Amino acid sequence: MLTKQIKKKGILAKFLEKGIEIILRKECKKIGKIEIDIIASSIQIIKGMIKNIIIIAEEINYKDILFEKVELEAHDVKIISKINNKELSLKNNFLIKFKLSLSTNSLQIVLLSNKWGWIGDMISKELLYQEKLEDIKLKDDQIFIMSSKDKKTINEEKEISIKTKDGKLYLENKSYNKSIKIPIEDKIYIKNVTIKNNLINIFANSFVSF
């Protein structure tokens, strides 16, 4: 999805890369590894314009939602920087393209957590007519879930599929002809979703504002 361009970095580009990393680490509870590539000349940066920003991060915890990997790209980003004070801010309303990757571990930690478990239970109720989600896993590039009515009777694994429609993300139980829309911010438009190497990969666009 994203292509990295290797160029000799000027001091302004390095400054901006560090500034963006600081912003992202403040926003997230955890970022394991992060690479930021600013593609812009010193003159463009002084004028407040970045031609391209490419960000690749791994092991991200954002608002207790875990991602194995995030790849992000933005073009023609306007910035406000005060080099003397080492301050950096981004102007509102620019478009980003991104890819989010989730593993079995990501799904289990999020959907079985106290904070986000209600989404897992909603999936169980809507797709399997059960009260509580007990487990979810990716196996052979497919999604399997287990659920229960009373925590005593655990049902067999059931396969569900994932798809996009009109920019939204859906889970579907084809056996019951039931589907459910996953709650996502309206400003995010889902372009495509795939499962490969037991990772759910979500490709999306969103306008960013601060």
Side-chain angles (χ1 to χ4, degrees):
M1 174 184 153
L2 303 177
T3 57
K4 279 197 80 175
Q5 300 182 26
I6 300 176
K7 292 185 177 182
K8 187 176 181 180
K9 295 287 182 183
I11 189 169
L12 293 182
K14 291 179 180 179
F15 165 75
L16 289 176
E17 288 172 355
K18 189 62 180 178
I20 291 171
E21 180 179 351
I22 291 170
I23 290 173
L24 293 176
R25 289 193 180 277
K26 285 182 179 179
E27 289 291 320
C28 298
K29 287 189 174 181
K30 177 189 175 184
I31 299 178
K33 179 182 177 182
I34 186 167
E35 296 179 27
I36 301 172
D37 189 11
I38 296 288
I39 301 171
S41 67
S42 294
I43 292 175
Q44 288 172 325
I45 293 172
I46 291 170
K47 290 181 177 180
M49 177 64 73
I50 299 175
K51 183 178 179 182
N52 289 327
I53 300 176
I54 297 172
I55 300 172
I56 301 175
E58 298 177 5
E59 298 179 6
I60 304 101
N61 181 333
Y62 176 70
K63 296 183 178 180
D64 293 323
I65 301 175
L66 275 65
F67 300 100
E68 287 295 315
K69 191 173 184 179
V70 173
E71 301 176 49
L72 180 152
E73 186 169 9
H75 304 280
D76 299 326
V77 178
K78 294 181 180 180
I79 61 171
I80 302 172
S81 60
K82 298 178 181 178
I83 297 174
N84 291 337
N85 297 328
K86 297 183 179 181
E87 294 180 4
L88 169 68
S89 62
L90 306 178
K91 290 189 176 180
N92 284 346
N93 296 324
F94 60 92
L95 182 69
I96 62 170
K97 297 186 295 183
F98 57 91
K99 173 186 172 184
L100 308 175
S101 298
L102 300 103
S103 65
T104 290
N105 184 59
S106 304
L107 295 172
Q108 289 175 341
I109 290 176
V110 174
L111 295 179
L112 299 176
S113 69
N114 290 330
K115 183 173 182 178
W116 299 108
W118 64 272
I119 297 178
D121 294 342
M122 179 180 68
I123 292 169
S124 182
K125 290 174 184 176
E126 294 292 329
L127 297 185
L128 299 176
Y129 304 110
Q130 303 293 312
E131 291 298 316
K132 189 166 185 63
L133 181 72
E134 297 293 344
D135 194 17
I136 182 167
K137 65 179 67 173
L138 298 170
K139 182 171 62 176
D140 299 325
D141 289 343
Q142 296 174 318
I143 306 172
F144 294 90
I145 63 175
M146 294 179 67
S147 59
S148 69
K149 276 193 174 181
D150 52 14
K151 292 282 285 185
K152 296 178 181 178
T153 306
I154 310 296
N155 294 289
E156 295 180 355
E157 285 184 348
K158 299 292 184 181
E159 181 183 347
I160 60 173
S161 59
I162 189 167
K163 65 179 184 179
T164 61
K165 182 180 178 182
D166 298 328
K168 302 300 179 184
L169 193 64
Y170 292 84
L171 293 177
E172 182 179 27
N173 183 339
K174 294 181 179 178
S175 299
Y176 294 170
N177 195 27
K178 291 281 292 182
S179 65
I180 181 173
K181 183 171 74 172
I182 301 301
I184 296 176
E185 291 185 45
D186 290 338
K187 64 182 180 180
I188 297 175
Y189 186 91
I190 308 296
K191 296 177 62 180
N192 191 24
V193 60
T194 64
I195 304 178
K196 187 176 181 181
N197 298 325
N198 288 326
L199 287 175
I200 296 176
N201 300 301
I202 301 169
F203 301 85
N205 293 338
S206 178
F207 280 96
V208 174
S209 59
F210 295 89

